[in-house]
Amino acid sequence: MISVSNVTVSFGGFNLLDSISFHISDNDKIGLVGKNGAGKSTLMKLITGEQLPTSGSIEKPTGIRIGYLPQSMAHHKGLSVLEEVLSVFDYIKDMEDELARLTAELGEREDYESASYSAIIDRMNHLNDLLALESGESPRVKAVKVLKGLGFKEEELDRKTETFSQGWNMRMELAKILLGAPDVLLLDEPTNHLDIESIEWFESYLKAYRGSVLLVSHDRKFLDNVTGRTVEILLGHIHDYKVPYSKYLVLREERLSQQKAAYDNQQRMIEKTEDFINRFRYKPTKSNQVQSRIKALEKLERIEIDDTDNARINLRFPPAQRSGDVVFKSSNLAAGYPGKVVFTGADIEIKRGEKIALVGRNGEGKTTFLRILAGELQPIDGEGKIGHNVHIGYYAQNQEDVLDKNLTVEETLDRVAVGEVRTRLRDILGAFLFKGEDVDKKVSVLSGGERARLGMARLMLSPYNVLVLDEPTNHMDIQSKDRLKQALQAFDGTLIVVSHDRDFLDGLVGKLYEFRDGKVKEHLGGVQDFLEKLRLRNLQELEAPAKKEQSAAPQKEKTPQPKGFTKEDRKLRTRLVNVENEIAEKEGKLKIIEDSLANPGKNADIFALTAEYQEVKQSLDVLTEEWTALMEQLDN
């Protein structure tokens, strides 16, 4: 479907991507992985055409539809949530308007034999065929279903888009992309602004999605549940594994181990051969053997070990000074902002040494509660008390707003460091992968991942005994996230964390507080226990409205059918058999083309094969739609 051939992207003599090649086939679900800055987002922009490669080519079939969700984008204003999302269906109204105009035009014409009259009829038939493909659920029903799946409430759908945060606007863009049903989805960190419930729904949607997906995510479980293939970008090169993320890690380790073993064996053989040559080079009796081994070495294909990027953050939190047994306790706590109460009646008790997660929809009060803990916000009602000898380190969700953009990386730490630790700032920054000239970079030019690491480095300059972390893994690559998790598991103080990353929370926390519908509920146990309860509850909640709508809709009476087959039935069944044979033929062709694309010969025309694939696929889709319609007619 999409072929990336020998693509190189260079910046100032540095190759971000170095002659990479791979192919995206129909229905591929690919996880694109690599460290922050490896070139994942750049590769997506190359595929969409937003960026051009320094060299190489990207071939796409004519008419292919690509849905692209970048990490950040500009959002529209002035429309309600539902109006904004329904705009993706404007093309349907355009077709209906054109059909009405052509119908009116035909009614006024009498040149029935003219070519232009025939052209109008052909166009009307084409429009009717396209509109028939759009039949079924109405655009509004489709939009509401997707918006609810992504976490919007019914009463929020009429609110203006500008009254929502950037994260919620990103969900609207995601809804528009999904409803557009493109052939290929390119998703760059789509879960960064989704809560756990929405991620669960989104996973199910992508599993059933009939199209290709190229996905960048730092959520290991999300990758495992959605993708069946992993493409790694490592030091400018591509490594392609036909397995999900967790299996890729195992295969990658096995490949590198086998490669290293083969390399070591060959080096020992080379060393022995060179030793023989040096020892007997000038002995006439051994000259033939020496020359033979010299030629063998010259012809030897040398085994090379793939480059690996072993740089990783070195995280270890300072020992925590002992606090009182109760770190925080609230009674009938209510919180919010002027004109808006977020939650009420919260009874929360956090004890020393507990590791707790706050979960729930965005906007339900998790960050608000953290700000109360950190002393940045006062409760509206009730009381909340901080325990004895509690020293809180607070990591805010948006480091862009917390860090001074005008300071350098080193100055950022220097402003908060005290005592002898100031002499070790460069060592601390080195542990967070800021080395050499990196420490002199301005905060304003840092990537999201670099700002996350810098914010965490600031947090470690003081020996806090309570860590309050709001989405600490956003923008962190998987390796950095794993190191942070290990450090927090070893932390001997108290942890309160907001995160939607199930893999990060699994095995880290032992209690959860769920923020939902203005209330706070305690759940004992880990995140997996909570998710099992959540799935059951969500199933009931999502099905209840559908059942209600179905029961409210008038039931169509079925027309009694005569026994036996009518002449029309026989015609339908004959056509059904023919369509099934054509479908089998098209599927066979697709398999042959897929095999050719997977292993192209030297003279293979990738572009022609891709175009042929798309043409056959479109024919297959039309036949499948006809088969469905025929089955429905026979059932009726």
Side-chain angles (χ1 to χ4, degrees):
M1 183 179 286
I2 296 177
S3 185
V4 177
S5 303
N6 299 315
V7 164
T8 294
V9 175
S10 302
F11 299 102
F14 166 72
N15 286 346
L16 178 65
L17 300 175
D18 190 1
S19 193
I20 66 169
S21 298
F22 76 103
H23 185 81
I24 301 175
S25 301
D26 188 47
N27 292 326
D28 261 348
K29 303 288 194 301
I30 304 171
L32 184 61
V33 302
K35 290 196 170 185
N36 290 339
K40 302 185 296 296
S41 298
T42 298
L43 181 55
M44 287 193 166
K45 290 176 183 175
L46 291 170
I47 292 173
T48 62
E50 288 187 19
Q51 187 172 330
L52 296 176
T54 306
S55 62
S57 64
I58 297 173
E59 295 169 353
K60 296 173 285 188
T62 302
I64 190 173
R65 294 172 301 156
I66 295 177
Y68 173 45
L69 182 78
Q71 286 190 30
S72 59
M73 64 179 73
H75 302 294
H76 301 116
K77 296 180 180 179
L79 298 177
S80 70
V81 173
L82 193 55
E83 288 171 338
E84 175 64 27
V85 172
L86 283 174
S87 66
V88 78
F89 294 110
D90 284 349
Y91 69 95
I92 295 179
K93 187 175 186 308
D94 291 342
M95 288 193 294
E96 290 172 340
D97 290 345
E98 184 182 357
L99 189 61
R101 180 179 60 78
L102 292 175
T103 302
E105 184 178 339
L106 279 186
E108 297 174 356
R109 295 179 61 158
E110 297 180 354
D111 53 334
Y112 309 120
E113 303 298 326
S114 70
S116 60
Y117 193 93
S118 296
I120 292 175
I121 291 177
D122 289 341
R123 176 61 181 166
M124 289 175 66
N125 288 335
H126 180 62
L127 288 171
N128 277 315
D129 289 342
L130 292 175
L131 288 169
L133 292 175
E134 298 293 342
S135 62
E137 285 185 320
S138 71
R140 181 186 176 88
V141 170
K142 291 179 183 177
V144 170
K145 187 181 294 185
V146 171
L147 286 168
K148 284 186 175 180
L150 291 173
F152 286 91
K153 294 179 179 178
E154 185 78 40
E155 60 269 24
E156 293 174 328
L157 301 185
D158 292 325
R159 274 176 53 188
K160 297 294 184 185
T161 59
E162 58 265 33
T163 65
F164 288 87
S165 67
Q166 180 183 356
W168 285 99
N169 271 274
M170 192 68 74
R171 295 190 195 205
M172 295 176 214
E173 293 297 329
L174 179 56
K176 288 165 63 178
I177 290 170
L178 297 181
L179 289 166
D183 302 302
V184 181
L185 280 173
L186 305 181
L187 305 173
D188 196 350
E189 292 289 0
T191 62
N192 266 2
H193 299 287
L194 300 180
D195 49 58
I196 287 177
E197 296 180 43
S198 301
I199 291 174
E200 295 269 299
W201 176 87
F202 191 35
E203 271 182 7
S204 300
Y205 188 98
L206 290 179
K207 285 179 188 176
Y209 180 69
R210 293 180 62 185
S212 302
V213 178
L214 184 63
L215 169 67
V216 173
S217 177
H218 296 151
D219 186 330
R220 188 196 306 262
K221 273 190 167 51
F222 188 68
L223 286 171
D224 276 342
N225 290 339
V226 171
T227 65
R229 177 179 165 197
T230 303
V231 173
E232 176 192 37
I233 302 181
L234 178 67
L235 299 174
H237 299 288
I238 284 283
H239 300 280
D240 197 343
Y241 297 81
K242 304 298 190 290
V243 293
Y245 182 80
S246 291
K247 290 184 180 178
Y248 137 77
L249 290 177
V250 175
L251 292 180
R252 180 177 182 269
E253 198 60 39
E254 288 177 358
R255 178 179 66 83
L256 292 174
S257 296
Q258 291 168 0
Q259 201 176 65
K260 178 69 165 57
Y263 174 82
D264 290 342
N265 287 334
Q266 189 182 67
Q267 288 301 305
R268 282 193 291 269
M269 183 273 290
I270 292 172
E271 186 178 344
K272 287 180 180 179
T273 304
E274 289 177 340
D275 181 58
F276 180 90
I277 293 170
N278 291 331
R279 285 172 58 199
F280 300 109
R281 183 185 296 272
Y282 303 108
K283 286 199 173 186
T285 57
K286 299 284 187 180
S287 63
N288 289 339
Q289 295 177 42
V290 168
Q291 290 303 316
S292 174
R293 298 193 185 193
I294 288 174
K295 290 178 181 177
L297 281 184
E298 289 173 350
K299 294 179 180 178
L300 181 67
E301 186 174 338
R302 303 291 175 117
I303 296 172
E304 295 182 357
I305 297 178
D306 289 339
D307 292 333
T308 55
D309 188 349
N310 295 316
R312 58 176 63 188
I313 63 172
N314 186 14
L315 261 175
R316 188 173 64 185
F317 289 95
Q321 191 179 31
R322 186 182 176 90
S323 68
D325 288 341
V326 177
V327 168
F328 175 84
K329 186 170 184 177
S330 72
S331 176
N332 202 34
L333 187 70
Y337 304 90
K340 181 175 177 61
V341 177
V342 183
F343 64 81
T344 61
D347 296 325
I348 298 173
E349 184 175 46
I350 300 171
K351 295 181 179 178
R352 183 183 71 246
E354 284 188 318
K355 290 183 169 64
I356 294 170
L358 311 183
V359 297
R361 292 174 77 247
N362 292 341
E364 291 282 4
K366 303 185 300 293
T367 297
T368 302
F369 176 68
L370 292 191
R371 294 188 64 197
I372 289 175
L373 274 177
E376 293 185 359
L377 195 66
Q378 293 301 313
I380 293 175
D381 196 11
E383 63 176 0
K385 290 185 178 180
I386 300 292
H388 173 67
N389 199 33
V390 168
H391 301 287
I392 294 176
Y394 178 41
Y395 177 94
Q397 181 178 153
N398 196 345
Q399 290 297 308
E400 186 172 350
D401 295 336
V402 175
L403 301 173
D404 188 334
K405 297 177 185 177
N406 297 315
L407 297 180
T408 66
V409 168
E410 186 173 18
E411 288 169 346
T412 299
L413 292 199
D414 190 52
R415 292 290 177 93
V416 295
V418 293
E420 64 88 20
V421 75
R422 297 185 69 179
T423 64
R424 298 189 293 110
L425 290 185
R426 293 214 165 208
D427 292 336
I428 294 171
L429 287 169
F432 283 86
L433 307 184
F434 293 104
K435 297 177 180 178
E437 296 177 355
D438 289 343
V439 301
D440 297 319
K441 284 183 180 177
K442 293 280 189 183
V443 170
S444 58
V445 302
L446 298 182
S447 68
E450 287 172 327
R451 287 177 184 171
R453 296 202 307 269
L454 183 57
M456 200 58 65
R458 282 178 85 238
L459 198 64
M460 296 182 66
L461 292 180
S462 299
Y464 300 113
N465 54 19
V466 177
L467 294 178
V468 174
L469 311 180
D470 195 357
E471 297 288 7
T473 63
N474 273 5
H475 307 295
M476 275 193 180
D477 57 50
I478 293 178
Q479 293 90 340
S480 298
K481 186 183 69 176
D482 288 345
R483 298 286 287 182
L484 174 60
K485 179 177 177 177
Q486 292 167 15
L488 291 173
Q489 287 172 324
F491 176 57
D492 57 354
T494 306
L495 172 68
I496 302 102
V497 59
V498 170
S499 178
H500 59 259
D501 191 322
R502 298 153 300 171
D503 182 61
F504 179 70
L505 294 177
D506 191 21
L508 176 61
V509 301
K511 185 167 79 173
L512 294 89
Y513 281 102
E514 181 189 16
F515 289 68
R516 187 183 184 90
D517 298 328
K519 299 295 180 184
V520 182
K521 183 179 180 181
E522 181 184 78
H523 294 269
L524 298 178
V527 67
Q528 284 304 121
D529 298 326
F530 171 73
L531 286 175
E532 287 173 9
K533 298 174 189 174
L534 186 70
R535 288 189 189 101
L536 291 174
R537 187 179 65 198
N538 270 357
L539 185 62
Q540 294 164 352
E541 289 181 356
L542 287 175
E543 285 185 348
K547 288 178 179 177
K548 185 177 180 182
E549 288 170 13
Q550 190 175 3
S551 62
Q555 299 296 312
K556 184 187 287 186
E557 291 186 17
K558 289 189 176 180
T559 305
Q561 297 293 321
K563 291 183 179 180
F565 293 129
T566 65
K567 184 177 179 181
E568 186 63 28
D569 285 335
R570 286 193 292 273
K571 287 174 64 178
L572 289 173
R573 288 187 176 277
T574 301
R575 179 56 188 158
L576 184 67
V577 171
N578 291 336
V579 168
E580 287 174 344
N581 291 335
E582 289 181 55
I583 287 174
E585 180 191 348
K586 297 293 183 187
E587 287 176 339
K589 280 188 178 180
L590 283 184
K591 181 67 172 63
I592 293 170
I593 300 172
E594 282 178 350
D595 291 342
S596 299
L597 287 171
N599 298 289
K602 288 184 179 179
N603 299 320
D605 187 337
I606 298 295
F607 183 79
L609 281 170
T610 305
E612 183 184 1
Y613 182 94
Q614 189 65 20
E615 182 180 341
V616 176
K617 174 66 169 55
Q618 288 173 349
S619 299
L620 180 60
D621 289 342
V622 172
L623 286 168
T624 304
E625 293 286 346
E626 184 181 354
W627 183 88
T628 303
L630 287 168
M631 289 296 292
E632 288 177 352
Q633 290 180 61
L634 285 168
D635 287 342
N636 292 332

